[in-house]
Every structure is written in C-alpha cells, then in structure tokens.
Amino acid sequence: MTRRLAEVAQKVGVSEATVSRVLNGKPGVSEATRTAVLTALDVLGYERPTQLRGERSRLVGLVLPELQNPIFPAFAEVVGGALAQQGFTPVLCTQTAGGVSEADYVELLLQQQVSGVVFFGGMYAQAESPHGHYERLAERGLPTVLMNAAIEDLDFPQVSCDDAVAVEQAVGHLVSLGHRRIGLVLGPPDHVPSQRKLAAAKEAAARAGVELPDEAVEHALFSLEGGQAATTRLLKRGVTGVICASDPLALGAVRAARRRGLDVPRDVSVVGYDDSSFMTCTDPPLTTIRQPIEAMGRAAVDLLVGEIAGARVTHDELLFEPELVVRGSTGPAAPA
C-alpha cells in the first residue's frame, strides 16, 4: 500500500496523504485532483478500491490492427492528442499476430473501466470476422467510435473517408493519362472499404468507357508483400495502371514492376491510398489518395466525448472527402 501511495503521489504531483484521502473517499480534495489520482491509479495498473470500481476511469482505449502501416500511428497521434486536450488519457492497444487479439483488448479495457474506445480499421470492417466483442461493448453501453467503414448492424458512431470518391479520383486520373488497362489491388473480399472501392471503380470505369473485368481485380493482405504478389499477377495480364487500397500495397506494386524490369511510371503507373508518412520520399514519390486524418480524428473524438458526457450524437456514418495527391508514380500510358 505504501509503495502504491508513493507511486501515485509522484505521478500526480501531490502528497501521499492526498492520495490516501481520495482512495478512502474522504472530503477535502478537489474534483480535478481526485480525477487525476484515479486516472494515475488506472495508468499504473493498480486496482481501484472496491467502492470506486463502479466509476469509469478517464482512460480511452485506442485499438489498432498494426503499427507497420504509418496511417494507423498517424490517426492514433491525432486522436490521442485531441483526447488529452479533453482531459482523457489514451491507452494504445495494438494487435499482434498470434498475440493479444482485438476481443482480448476489449475485455482488458472493460476491466479497466475505460470511458470509451476508438477502433481503427478493426474486425468490424470484415464481414466474415467474429464480432461478438462489439456486441459486448453495445450491451455495456460503452461509448465507442469506429474509424472507417464497418459491416451493417453495428450501431456505433462511424467516421470514414469516402471510399467511392477516392477511387473515382484515382480512376479519373489514370484515364486522363491515357490508361485503358487498369487493375485494382484491394483488401480481402469481405473487407467493406474494399467492396466499396470495387463498386465505385466499376462505375467510374464504365462512365469513362474503360473495361474493368474480374481478372483486373486482385485481393491481398494489407502489406507490401501482398501488394507485390497481387500486382505481379496483374502485370502478367497486361495492365498499365494499378490502383491500390493502401500505400504499403502500392509500394509492393512498385517493387513488382521493377522485379519484372518495368519502369514506374514510364511502363506502369501506381496509385496508393492514405498518403501516409514518407510517401514523398519513396522512389518515385507516390501518387496517392490522401485521407484527411486531422479532421477525421477530431470528429471521432468529438463524437466519443459527446457520448461519454451523455449527449445524443449521430450514429450515421460521417464521410470525409479524400484528396488526390499527384506525384511521380503516375504518368502517361505507354504507346500500345
């Protein structure tokens, strides 16, 4: 107990006597100090006293599928910063292959009495994945926000980049450069954002008088290696332009072209998605679709904090407009 008092007191910058008063429910402590002490207790991993366990902490879980794709740390930085401004402490939860799952993190966060959860690209986007842990959150009434498109019937606030507009921009760009044999590298077939991108690409191609047959569409895991393997198959079928559902997939596409002795963009044009960190530093700099992460992240926090405060917030999906950023990985189609 003495060690716990000392650690919490040091973390908050108050006396051990003040910490003791909070833990024992004694008067004479300001609400701000009381909240800070309880938050420090949660952050340091100590259990709250029994009489205080029913209260939610000032912690908010940020559940990410990975950290290798720079877009997820970028989103977490924006959301975490906005939460800190509102007096909440973000807790980063990153899934690992063969390690802690998304469902496991939900249980841990519920045990910690968190005030809310923000998910970034989780299982909610895949129709064939298990979704029981989302039902647990709904049953507990825990404020929860989903970043980017989800399956139907999950009644949570959603903040998404408009996948349809993104792909329309990419198709229009390649068509304007003279490309007629365009391929797509998307996520798994049950991935909702990828399904939206595919539907939009077919419509945009049809409007432009360009065919987009089934053999011009490949599905892959969201990784550089997945992008390379999928693009290798597309290049064998003669595509001259490749639209990818993430920047790592696009970098894999560039590698696939080079492994076949092709030049990007002279022989093959590549478009990514996200405009994550360092895409200006790749060779060539990547043409990509930029997600407005600052605006999306702040909207997610506004929705979450509103729900935590008991306000009624919209559960309709908020769609944010993406932006085509043209760099060096796209160019005119090579003469047939």
Side-chain angles (χ1 to χ4, degrees):
M1 172 63 79
T2 302
R3 178 184 174 188
R4 178 174 68 168
L5 290 176
E7 286 189 21
V8 174
Q10 183 179 11
K11 182 83 171 174
V12 180
V14 298
S15 69
E16 292 183 28
T18 298
V19 174
S20 179
R21 296 185 76 83
V22 172
L23 298 186
N24 289 292
K26 298 292 180 64
V29 181
S30 70
E31 187 60 32
T33 299
R34 182 177 179 278
T35 299
V37 168
L38 293 176
T39 298
L41 205 69
D42 297 325
V43 170
L44 292 171
Y46 291 120
E47 285 191 10
R48 294 185 178 203
T50 304
Q51 70 272 20
L52 299 177
R53 288 180 190 171
E55 301 182 27
R56 284 179 176 167
S57 68
R58 298 287 288 181
L59 304 178
V60 172
L62 307 185
V63 184
L64 287 72
E66 57 165 315
L67 292 178
Q68 290 184 331
N69 185 340
I71 195 65
F72 294 122
F75 266 125
E77 182 178 16
V78 171
V79 171
L83 284 169
Q85 290 176 356
Q86 300 273 3
F88 293 92
T89 300
V91 178
L92 200 63
C93 304
T94 307
Q95 299 170 58
T96 55
V100 182
S101 69
E102 191 175 82
D104 292 333
Y105 274 128
V106 166
E107 291 303 318
L108 290 171
L109 292 170
L110 288 173
Q111 290 172 18
Q112 289 297 317
Q113 298 286 333
V114 296
S115 294
V117 185
V118 181
F119 288 91
F120 305 80
M123 297 295 185
Y124 57 84
Q126 293 186 232
E128 296 178 9
S129 294
H131 302 116
H133 51 293
Y134 299 115
E135 295 173 8
R136 286 264 292 143
L137 292 171
E139 289 169 0
R140 294 282 287 270
L142 187 69
T144 300
V145 176
L146 310 179
M147 297 290 287
N148 283 324
I151 63 168
E152 295 182 1
D153 302 325
L154 288 180
D155 187 26
F156 297 118
Q158 288 178 242
V159 176
S160 302
C161 188
D162 195 322
D163 294 298
V165 171
V167 170
E168 288 168 3
Q169 291 176 346
V171 171
H173 176 58
L174 292 181
V175 169
S176 73
L177 293 171
H179 292 275
R180 291 294 180 270
R181 291 172 297 175
I182 298 172
L184 297 178
V185 179
L186 304 173
D190 68 329
H191 185 243
V192 176
S194 293
Q195 292 173 350
R196 291 182 175 184
K197 288 181 174 73
L198 177 56
K202 288 183 175 180
E203 290 183 9
R207 286 196 300 270
V210 175
E211 290 188 20
L212 189 64
D214 291 344
E215 56 266 25
V217 179
E218 286 288 338
H219 294 275
L221 295 176
F222 281 101
S223 66
L224 190 149
E225 293 77 15
Q228 180 180 348
T231 303
T232 296
R233 294 190 290 270
L234 290 175
L235 292 175
K236 290 178 181 178
R237 298 167 195 154
V239 303
T240 64
V242 182
I243 298 171
C244 300
S246 75
D247 288 341
L249 287 174
L251 296 181
V254 173
R255 179 194 282 180
R258 288 184 171 158
R259 292 285 170 86
R260 290 180 63 83
L262 301 174
D263 180 80
V264 177
R266 188 183 65 236
D267 301 310
V268 180
S269 286
V270 177
V271 181
Y273 181 83
D274 285 335
D275 194 27
S276 46
S277 301
F278 310 121
M279 293 305 105
T280 58
C281 306
T282 58
D283 181 23
L286 188 68
T287 293
T288 187
I289 305 295
R290 176 180 294 162
Q291 290 200 66
I293 59 173
E294 186 77 28
M296 292 173 64
R298 291 195 171 276
V301 171
D302 288 345
L303 289 168
L304 187 75
V305 172
E307 287 221 321
I308 291 171
R312 294 189 63 176
V313 303
T314 180
H315 283 212
D316 294 332
E317 184 178 18
L318 301 183
L319 291 177
F320 284 74
E321 193 84 358
E323 177 188 357
L324 174 68
V325 181
V326 179
R327 299 195 182 104
S329 66
T330 52

